[in-house]
Coordinates of all heavy atoms in Angstrom, one line a residue:
M1 N -35.0 17.7 -38.4 CA -35.7 17.4 -37.2 C -36.8 16.4 -37.6 O -37.5 16.6 -38.6 CB -36.3 18.6 -36.5 CG -37.1 18.3 -35.3 SD -37.6 19.8 -34.5 CE -36.5 19.8 -33.1
K2 N -37.0 15.3 -36.8 CA -38.0 14.3 -37.1 C -39.4 14.8 -36.6 O -39.5 15.5 -35.6 CB -37.6 13.0 -36.4 CG -36.4 12.3 -37.0 CD -36.3 11.0 -36.3 CE -35.1 10.3 -36.9 NZ -34.9 8.9 -36.3
R3 N -40.4 14.3 -37.3 CA -41.7 14.5 -36.8 C -42.0 13.5 -35.7 O -41.4 12.4 -35.6 CB -42.7 14.3 -37.9 CG -42.7 15.3 -39.0 CD -43.7 14.9 -40.1 NE -43.6 15.9 -41.1 CZ -44.5 16.8 -41.3 NH1 -45.6 16.9 -40.5 NH2 -44.4 17.7 -42.3
I4 N -42.9 13.8 -34.8 CA -43.2 12.9 -33.7 C -43.7 11.6 -34.1 O -43.3 10.5 -33.6 CB -44.3 13.6 -32.7 CG1 -43.7 14.8 -32.0 CG2 -44.9 12.6 -31.8 CD1 -44.6 15.5 -31.1
S5 N -44.4 11.5 -35.2 CA -44.9 10.2 -35.7 C -43.7 9.4 -36.2 O -43.9 8.2 -36.4 CB -45.9 10.5 -36.9 OG -45.2 11.2 -38.0
E6 N -42.6 10.0 -36.5 CA -41.4 9.2 -37.0 C -40.5 8.7 -35.9 O -39.6 7.9 -36.1 CB -40.6 10.1 -37.9 CG -41.3 10.5 -39.2 CD -40.5 11.5 -40.0 OE1 -39.4 12.0 -39.5 OE2 -40.9 11.9 -41.1
I7 N -40.8 9.1 -34.7 CA -40.0 8.7 -33.5 C -40.6 7.5 -32.9 O -41.8 7.4 -32.6 CB -39.9 9.8 -32.5 CG1 -39.2 11.1 -33.1 CG2 -39.1 9.4 -31.2 CD1 -39.2 12.3 -32.2
N8 N -39.7 6.5 -32.7 CA -40.2 5.2 -32.1 C -39.8 5.3 -30.6 O -38.6 5.2 -30.3 CB -39.5 4.0 -32.7 CG -39.9 2.7 -32.1 OD1 -40.7 2.7 -31.2 ND2 -39.4 1.6 -32.6
P9 N -40.8 5.4 -29.7 CA -40.4 5.6 -28.3 C -39.7 4.3 -27.7 O -39.1 4.4 -26.7 CB -41.7 5.8 -27.6 CG -42.8 5.3 -28.5 CD -42.2 5.5 -29.9
L10 N -39.9 3.2 -28.4 CA -39.3 1.9 -27.9 C -38.1 1.6 -28.8 O -37.6 0.5 -28.7 CB -40.3 0.8 -28.0 CG -41.6 1.0 -27.1 CD1 -42.6 -0.1 -27.3 CD2 -41.2 1.2 -25.7
G11 N -37.6 2.6 -29.5 CA -36.5 2.3 -30.4 C -35.2 2.2 -29.8 O -35.1 1.8 -28.6
E12 N -34.1 2.6 -30.5 CA -32.8 2.4 -30.0 C -32.5 3.2 -28.8 O -33.0 4.4 -28.7 CB -31.8 2.9 -31.1 CG -31.8 2.0 -32.3 CD -30.8 2.5 -33.4 OE1 -29.9 3.2 -33.0 OE2 -31.0 2.2 -34.6
E13 N -31.8 2.6 -27.9 CA -31.4 3.3 -26.6 C -30.0 3.8 -26.8 O -29.3 3.3 -27.6 CB -31.6 2.4 -25.4 CG -33.0 2.0 -25.1 CD -33.1 1.1 -23.9 OE1 -32.1 1.0 -23.2 OE2 -34.1 0.4 -23.8
R14 N -29.6 4.7 -25.9 CA -28.3 5.1 -25.8 C -27.4 4.0 -25.4 O -27.7 3.3 -24.4 CB -28.1 6.3 -24.9 CG -26.8 7.0 -24.9 CD -26.7 8.1 -24.0 NE -26.4 7.6 -22.7 CZ -26.5 8.2 -21.5 NH1 -26.9 9.5 -21.5 NH2 -26.1 7.7 -20.4
P15 N -26.3 3.7 -26.1 CA -25.5 2.5 -25.7 C -24.8 2.8 -24.3 O -24.4 3.9 -24.0 CB -24.5 2.4 -26.8 CG -24.4 3.7 -27.4 CD -25.8 4.3 -27.2
N16 N -24.7 1.8 -23.5 CA -24.0 1.9 -22.2 C -22.5 1.9 -22.5 O -22.0 1.0 -23.2 CB -24.4 0.8 -21.3 CG -25.8 0.9 -20.7 OD1 -26.2 2.0 -20.6 ND2 -26.4 -0.2 -20.5
P17 N -21.8 2.8 -21.9 CA -20.3 2.8 -22.1 C -19.7 1.6 -21.4 O -20.2 1.2 -20.3 CB -19.9 4.1 -21.5 CG -21.0 4.6 -20.6 CD -22.2 3.9 -21.1
S18 N -18.6 1.2 -21.9 CA -17.9 0.1 -21.2 C -17.3 0.5 -19.9 O -17.2 1.7 -19.6 CB -16.7 -0.4 -22.2 OG -15.7 0.6 -22.3
E19 N -16.9 -0.4 -19.1 CA -16.3 -0.1 -17.8 C -15.0 0.8 -18.0 O -14.8 1.7 -17.2 CB -15.9 -1.4 -17.1 CG -15.8 -1.2 -15.6 CD -17.1 -0.6 -14.9 OE1 -18.2 -1.0 -15.3 OE2 -16.9 0.2 -14.0
E20 N -14.2 0.5 -19.0 CA -13.0 1.2 -19.3 C -13.3 2.7 -19.7 O -12.7 3.6 -19.3 CB -12.2 0.5 -20.4 CG -10.9 1.2 -20.8 CD -9.9 1.1 -19.6 OE1 -10.0 0.1 -18.8 OE2 -9.0 1.9 -19.6
T21 N -14.4 2.8 -20.5 CA -14.8 4.2 -20.9 C -15.3 5.0 -19.7 O -14.9 6.1 -19.6 CB -15.9 4.1 -22.0 OG1 -15.4 3.3 -23.1 CG2 -16.4 5.5 -22.4
R22 N -16.1 4.3 -18.8 CA -16.5 5.0 -17.6 C -15.4 5.4 -16.8 O -15.3 6.5 -16.2 CB -17.4 4.1 -16.8 CG -18.8 3.8 -17.4 CD -19.5 2.8 -16.6 NE -20.7 2.3 -17.3 CZ -21.9 2.5 -16.9 NH1 -22.1 3.2 -15.8 NH2 -22.9 2.1 -17.5
K23 N -14.4 4.6 -16.6 CA -13.2 4.8 -15.8 C -12.4 6.1 -16.4 O -12.0 7.0 -15.6 CB -12.3 3.6 -15.8 CG -11.1 3.7 -14.9 CD -10.4 2.4 -14.9 CE -9.2 2.4 -14.0 NZ -8.4 1.1 -14.0
N24 N -12.3 6.1 -17.7 CA -11.6 7.2 -18.4 C -12.4 8.5 -18.2 O -11.8 9.6 -18.0 CB -11.3 6.9 -19.8 CG -10.2 5.9 -20.0 OD1 -9.4 5.7 -19.2 ND2 -10.3 5.2 -21.2
L25 N -13.7 8.5 -18.4 CA -14.5 9.7 -18.2 C -14.4 10.2 -16.8 O -14.3 11.4 -16.6 CB -15.9 9.4 -18.6 CG -16.2 9.1 -20.1 CD1 -17.6 8.6 -20.3 CD2 -16.0 10.4 -20.9
R26 N -14.5 9.3 -15.8 CA -14.4 9.7 -14.4 C -13.0 10.4 -14.2 O -12.9 11.4 -13.5 CB -14.6 8.5 -13.5 CG -14.6 8.9 -12.1 CD -15.0 7.7 -11.2 NE -15.2 8.1 -9.8 CZ -14.2 8.1 -8.9 NH1 -13.0 7.8 -9.3 NH2 -14.4 8.5 -7.7
R27 N -11.9 9.7 -14.7 CA -10.6 10.3 -14.5 C -10.5 11.7 -15.1 O -9.9 12.6 -14.5 CB -9.6 9.3 -15.1 CG -8.1 9.7 -14.8 CD -7.1 8.8 -15.4 NE -7.3 7.4 -15.0 CZ -7.5 6.4 -15.9 NH1 -7.5 6.6 -17.2 NH2 -7.7 5.2 -15.4
E28 N -11.0 11.8 -16.3 CA -11.0 13.2 -16.9 C -11.8 14.2 -16.2 O -11.3 15.3 -16.0 CB -11.6 13.0 -18.4 CG -10.6 12.3 -19.3 CD -11.3 12.0 -20.6 OE1 -12.4 12.5 -20.9 OE2 -10.7 11.3 -21.4
R29 N -12.9 13.8 -15.6 CA -13.8 14.7 -14.9 C -13.0 15.2 -13.6 O -13.0 16.4 -13.2 CB -15.1 14.1 -14.5 CG -16.0 15.0 -13.7 CD -17.3 14.3 -13.3 NE -17.2 13.1 -12.7 CZ -16.9 12.9 -11.4 NH1 -16.8 14.0 -10.6 NH2 -16.8 11.7 -10.8
L30 N -12.4 14.2 -12.9 CA -11.7 14.5 -11.7 C -10.5 15.4 -11.9 O -10.3 16.4 -11.2 CB -11.3 13.2 -11.0 CG -12.4 12.4 -10.4 CD1 -11.9 11.1 -9.8 CD2 -13.2 13.1 -9.3
Q31 N -9.8 15.2 -13.0 CA -8.7 16.0 -13.4 C -9.1 17.4 -13.7 O -8.5 18.4 -13.3 CB -7.9 15.4 -14.5 CG -6.6 16.2 -14.9 CD -5.6 16.2 -13.7 OE1 -5.4 15.2 -13.1 NE2 -5.1 17.4 -13.4
R32 N -10.3 17.5 -14.4 CA -10.8 18.9 -14.8 C -11.2 19.6 -13.5 O -10.9 20.8 -13.4 CB -12.0 18.7 -15.7 CG -12.5 20.0 -16.3 CD -13.5 19.8 -17.4 NE -14.6 18.8 -17.0 CZ -14.8 17.6 -17.5 NH1 -13.9 17.1 -18.4 NH2 -15.8 16.9 -17.1
E33 N -11.9 18.9 -12.6 CA -12.2 19.6 -11.3 C -11.0 20.0 -10.5 O -11.0 21.1 -9.9 CB -13.0 18.6 -10.4 CG -14.4 18.3 -10.9 CD -15.2 17.3 -10.1 OE1 -14.7 16.8 -9.1 OE2 -16.3 16.9 -10.5
R34 N -10.0 19.2 -10.5 CA -8.7 19.5 -9.8 C -8.1 20.7 -10.5 O -7.6 21.6 -9.7 CB -7.8 18.3 -9.9 CG -6.6 18.4 -9.1 CD -5.8 17.1 -9.0 NE -4.7 17.2 -8.0 CZ -3.5 17.4 -8.3 NH1 -3.1 17.5 -9.6 NH2 -2.6 17.5 -7.3
D35 N -8.0 20.8 -11.8 CA -7.4 21.9 -12.5 C -8.2 23.2 -12.2 O -7.6 24.3 -11.9 CB -7.4 21.7 -14.0 CG -6.4 20.6 -14.4 OD1 -5.5 20.2 -13.5 OD2 -6.5 20.1 -15.5
E36 N -9.6 23.1 -12.2 CA -10.4 24.3 -12.0 C -10.2 24.7 -10.5 O -10.2 25.9 -10.2 CB -11.9 24.0 -12.3 CG -12.1 23.8 -13.7 CD -13.5 23.3 -14.0 OE1 -14.3 23.0 -13.1 OE2 -13.8 23.1 -15.2
G37 N -10.1 23.8 -9.6 CA -9.9 24.1 -8.2 C -8.6 24.8 -8.0 O -8.5 25.8 -7.2
Y38 N -7.5 24.4 -8.7 CA -6.2 25.0 -8.6 C -6.3 26.5 -9.0 O -5.8 27.4 -8.4 CB -5.2 24.3 -9.4 CG -3.9 24.9 -9.5 CD1 -3.0 24.7 -8.4 CD2 -3.5 25.7 -10.5 CE1 -1.7 25.4 -8.4 CE2 -2.2 26.3 -10.6 CZ -1.4 26.2 -9.5 OH -0.1 26.8 -9.5
Q39 N -7.0 26.7 -10.1 CA -7.2 28.1 -10.7 C -7.9 29.0 -9.7 O -7.5 30.1 -9.5 CB -7.9 28.1 -12.0 CG -7.1 27.5 -13.1 CD -5.8 28.3 -13.4 OE1 -5.8 29.5 -13.3 NE2 -4.7 27.6 -13.6
M40 N -8.9 28.4 -9.0 CA -9.7 29.2 -8.0 C -8.8 29.6 -6.9 O -8.8 30.7 -6.4 CB -10.9 28.5 -7.5 CG -12.1 28.5 -8.5 SD -13.6 27.9 -7.7 CE -13.3 26.1 -7.9
L41 N -8.0 28.6 -6.4 CA -7.1 28.8 -5.2 C -6.1 29.9 -5.6 O -5.8 30.8 -4.8 CB -6.5 27.5 -4.8 CG -7.4 26.4 -4.3 CD1 -6.7 25.1 -4.0 CD2 -8.1 26.9 -3.0
V42 N -5.5 29.8 -6.8 CA -4.5 30.8 -7.2 C -5.1 32.2 -7.3 O -4.5 33.1 -6.8 CB -3.8 30.3 -8.5 CG1 -3.0 31.5 -9.1 CG2 -3.0 29.1 -8.4
E43 N -6.2 32.3 -7.8 CA -6.9 33.6 -8.0 C -7.2 34.2 -6.6 O -7.0 35.4 -6.4 CB -8.2 33.5 -8.8 CG -7.9 33.2 -10.3 CD -9.2 33.0 -11.1 OE1 -10.2 33.6 -10.7 OE2 -9.1 32.4 -12.1
L44 N -7.7 33.3 -5.7 CA -7.9 33.8 -4.3 C -6.7 34.3 -3.6 O -6.7 35.4 -3.0 CB -8.6 32.7 -3.5 CG -10.1 32.5 -3.8 CD1 -10.6 31.2 -3.1 CD2 -10.9 33.7 -3.4
C45 N -5.6 33.6 -3.8 CA -4.3 34.0 -3.2 C -3.8 35.3 -3.8 O -3.3 36.1 -3.1 CB -3.3 32.9 -3.3 SG -3.6 31.4 -2.3
N46 N -4.0 35.4 -5.1 CA -3.5 36.6 -5.8 C -4.3 37.8 -5.3 O -3.8 38.9 -5.4 CB -3.6 36.5 -7.3 CG -2.6 35.5 -7.9 OD1 -1.5 35.3 -7.3 ND2 -2.8 35.0 -9.1
L47 N -5.6 37.6 -4.9 CA -6.4 38.7 -4.4 C -6.2 39.0 -2.9 O -6.8 39.8 -2.4 CB -7.9 38.4 -4.7 CG -8.3 38.3 -6.1 CD1 -9.8 37.8 -6.2 CD2 -8.2 39.7 -6.7
G48 N -5.3 38.2 -2.3 CA -5.0 38.4 -0.9 C -5.9 37.7 0.0 O -6.0 37.9 1.2
E49 N -6.7 36.8 -0.5 CA -7.7 36.0 0.2 C -7.2 34.6 0.6 O -7.9 33.6 0.3 CB -9.1 36.0 -0.5 CG -9.7 37.3 -0.8 CD -10.2 38.0 0.4 OE1 -10.3 37.3 1.5 OE2 -10.5 39.2 0.3
C50 N -6.1 34.6 1.2 CA -5.4 33.3 1.5 C -6.2 32.5 2.5 O -6.2 31.2 2.4 CB -4.0 33.5 1.9 SG -3.0 34.4 0.7
D51 N -6.8 33.1 3.4 CA -7.6 32.4 4.4 C -8.8 31.7 3.8 O -9.1 30.5 4.1 CB -8.1 33.3 5.5 CG -7.0 33.8 6.4 OD1 -6.0 33.2 6.5 OD2 -7.2 34.9 7.1
I52 N -9.4 32.4 2.9 CA -10.6 31.7 2.1 C -10.0 30.6 1.2 O -10.7 29.5 1.2 CB -11.3 32.8 1.3 CG1 -12.0 33.8 2.3 CG2 -12.4 32.1 0.4 CD1 -12.7 35.0 1.6
A53 N -8.9 30.8 0.6 CA -8.3 29.8 -0.3 C -8.0 28.6 0.6 O -8.2 27.4 0.2 CB -7.1 30.3 -1.0
D54 N -7.4 28.8 1.8 CA -7.1 27.7 2.7 C -8.3 26.9 3.1 O -8.3 25.7 3.1 CB -6.4 28.2 3.9 CG -5.8 27.1 4.7 OD1 -5.2 26.2 4.2 OD2 -5.9 27.2 6.0
Q55 N -9.4 27.6 3.4 CA -10.7 27.0 3.7 C -11.2 26.1 2.6 O -11.6 25.0 2.7 CB -11.7 28.0 4.2 CG -11.4 28.7 5.5 CD -12.4 29.8 5.8 OE1 -13.5 29.8 5.2 NE2 -12.0 30.7 6.7
L56 N -11.1 26.7 1.4 CA -11.6 26.0 0.2 C -10.8 24.8 -0.1 O -11.3 23.7 -0.4 CB -11.6 27.0 -1.0 CG -12.1 26.5 -2.3 CD1 -13.6 26.1 -2.2 CD2 -12.0 27.5 -3.4
A57 N -9.5 24.9 0.0 CA -8.6 23.8 -0.2 C -8.8 22.7 0.8 O -8.8 21.5 0.5 CB -7.1 24.2 -0.1
N58 N -9.1 23.0 2.1 CA -9.4 22.0 3.1 C -10.8 21.3 2.9 O -10.9 20.1 3.1 CB -9.4 22.7 4.5 CG -8.0 23.0 5.0 OD1 -7.0 22.4 4.5 ND2 -7.9 24.0 5.8
R59 N -11.8 22.1 2.4 CA -13.1 21.5 2.1 C -13.0 20.6 0.9 O -13.8 19.7 0.7 CB -14.1 22.6 1.8 CG -14.7 23.1 3.1 CD -15.9 24.0 2.7 NE -15.5 25.0 1.8 CZ -15.8 26.3 1.9 NH1 -16.6 26.7 2.8 NH2 -15.3 27.2 1.1
N60 N -12.0 20.8 0.0 CA -11.9 20.0 -1.2 C -10.6 19.3 -1.2 O -9.8 19.5 -2.2 CB -12.1 20.9 -2.5 CG -13.4 21.5 -2.6 OD1 -14.4 20.8 -3.0 ND2 -13.6 22.8 -2.1
S61 N -10.3 18.5 -0.2 CA -9.0 17.9 -0.1 C -8.8 16.9 -1.2 O -7.6 16.6 -1.5 CB -9.0 17.1 1.3 OG -10.0 16.2 1.4
N62 N -9.8 16.5 -1.9 CA -9.6 15.6 -3.1 C -8.9 16.3 -4.2 O -8.3 15.6 -5.1 CB -10.9 15.0 -3.6 CG -11.9 16.1 -4.0 OD1 -12.0 17.1 -3.3 ND2 -12.6 15.9 -5.1
W63 N -8.8 17.6 -4.2 CA -8.0 18.3 -5.2 C -6.5 18.1 -5.0 O -5.7 18.2 -5.9 CB -8.3 19.8 -5.1 CG -9.6 20.3 -5.6 CD1 -10.6 19.5 -6.2 CD2 -10.2 21.5 -5.4 NE1 -11.7 20.2 -6.5 CE2 -11.5 21.5 -5.9 CE3 -9.8 22.7 -4.8 CZ2 -12.4 22.6 -5.9 CZ3 -10.7 23.8 -4.7 CH2 -12.0 23.7 -5.3
G64 N -6.1 17.9 -3.7 CA -4.7 17.6 -3.4 C -3.9 18.9 -3.2 O -2.7 18.8 -3.4
Y65 N -4.5 20.0 -2.8 CA -3.7 21.2 -2.7 C -3.8 21.8 -1.3 O -4.8 21.5 -0.6 CB -4.2 22.3 -3.7 CG -4.0 21.9 -5.1 CD1 -5.1 21.7 -5.9 CD2 -2.7 21.8 -5.6 CE1 -4.9 21.3 -7.2 CE2 -2.6 21.4 -7.0 CZ -3.7 21.2 -7.7 OH -3.5 20.8 -9.1
E66 N -2.9 22.6 -0.9 CA -2.9 23.3 0.4 C -2.3 24.7 0.2 O -1.6 24.9 -0.8 CB -2.2 22.5 1.5 CG -0.7 22.4 1.3 CD 0.0 21.5 2.4 OE1 -0.5 21.6 3.5 OE2 1.0 20.9 2.1
I67 N -2.6 25.6 1.1 CA -2.0 26.9 1.0 C -0.9 27.1 2.0 O -1.1 26.9 3.2 CB -3.1 28.0 1.2 CG1 -4.4 27.7 0.4 CG2 -2.6 29.4 1.0 CD1 -4.1 27.7 -1.1
V68 N 0.3 27.4 1.5 CA 1.4 27.6 2.4 C 2.0 29.0 2.1 O 2.5 29.3 1.0 CB 2.5 26.5 2.1 CG1 3.7 26.8 3.0 CG2 1.9 25.2 2.3
D69 N 1.9 29.9 3.1 CA 2.4 31.3 3.0 C 1.9 32.0 1.7 O 2.6 32.6 1.0 CB 4.0 31.3 2.9 CG 4.6 30.8 4.2 OD1 4.0 31.0 5.3 OD2 5.7 30.2 4.2
G70 N 0.6 31.8 1.5 CA -0.1 32.4 0.4 C 0.2 31.8 -1.0 O -0.1 32.4 -2.0
I71 N 0.8 30.6 -1.0 CA 1.1 30.0 -2.3 C 0.4 28.6 -2.3 O 0.3 27.9 -1.3 CB 2.6 29.7 -2.4 CG1 3.3 31.1 -2.4 CG2 3.0 29.0 -3.7 CD1 4.8 31.0 -2.3
V72 N -0.2 28.3 -3.5 CA -0.8 27.0 -3.6 C 0.2 25.9 -3.9 O 1.0 26.0 -4.8 CB -1.8 27.0 -4.8 CG1 -2.5 25.7 -5.0 CG2 -2.8 28.1 -4.7
M73 N 0.2 24.9 -3.0 CA 1.2 23.8 -3.1 C 0.4 22.5 -3.2 O -0.7 22.4 -2.6 CB 2.1 23.8 -1.8 CG 2.7 25.1 -1.5 SD 4.1 25.5 -2.6 CE 5.3 24.3 -2.0
E74 N 1.0 21.5 -3.8 CA 0.5 20.2 -3.7 C 0.6 19.6 -2.3 O 1.6 19.7 -1.7 CB 1.2 19.2 -4.7 CG 0.6 19.3 -6.1 CD 1.0 18.2 -7.0 OE1 0.5 17.0 -6.8 OE2 1.9 18.4 -7.8
R75 N -0.5 19.0 -1.9 CA -0.5 18.4 -0.5 C 0.2 17.1 -0.6 O 0.0 16.3 -1.5 CB -2.0 18.2 -0.1 CG -2.1 17.6 1.3 CD -3.5 17.6 1.7 NE -3.8 18.9 2.2 CZ -5.0 19.5 2.1 NH1 -5.9 18.9 1.5 NH2 -5.1 20.7 2.6
I76 N 1.1 16.9 0.3 CA 1.8 15.7 0.4 C 1.4 15.0 1.7 O 1.4 15.5 2.8 CB 3.3 15.9 0.5 CG1 3.8 16.6 -0.8 CG2 4.1 14.6 0.7 CD1 5.3 17.0 -0.8
D77 N 0.9 13.7 1.5 CA 0.4 12.9 2.7 C 1.6 12.6 3.6 O 2.7 12.6 3.2 CB -0.3 11.7 2.2 CG -1.5 12.0 1.4 OD1 -2.1 13.1 1.6 OD2 -2.0 11.1 0.6
G78 N 1.2 12.2 4.8 CA 2.3 11.8 5.8 C 3.2 10.7 5.4 O 4.3 10.6 5.8
D79 N 2.7 9.8 4.5 CA 3.5 8.7 4.1 C 4.4 9.0 2.8 O 5.1 8.1 2.3 CB 2.7 7.4 3.8 CG 1.6 7.7 2.7 OD1 1.6 8.8 2.1 OD2 0.8 6.8 2.4
G80 N 4.3 10.3 2.4 CA 5.2 10.7 1.3 C 4.6 10.5 0.0 O 5.1 10.9 -1.1
L81 N 3.3 10.0 -0.1 CA 2.6 9.8 -1.4 C 1.7 10.9 -1.6 O 1.1 11.5 -0.7 CB 1.8 8.5 -1.3 CG 2.7 7.2 -1.2 CD1 1.7 6.0 -1.0 CD2 3.6 7.0 -2.3
Q82 N 1.5 11.3 -2.9 CA 0.5 12.4 -3.2 C -0.8 11.8 -3.5 O -1.0 10.8 -3.9 CB 1.0 13.1 -4.4 CG 2.3 13.8 -4.1 CD 2.8 14.6 -5.4 OE1 2.2 14.5 -6.4 NE2 3.8 15.3 -5.2

């Protein structure tokens, strides 16, 4: 650990990530959120809380899931694209 006198407050800054790195980090974060959301929906359905799972899926439509007969399914848009 450095002493305060050894730290330069105007010294090196954290480097800014490139646009490509930002894009990859964002994609990874969104995929992680989607995976965690899926797990929550499955657990709620397994506990018999399908109505709550349906509400959660609707509030987080960016996850891309819906509840059909107590089962977590990927939501398919009207134009056939996911």
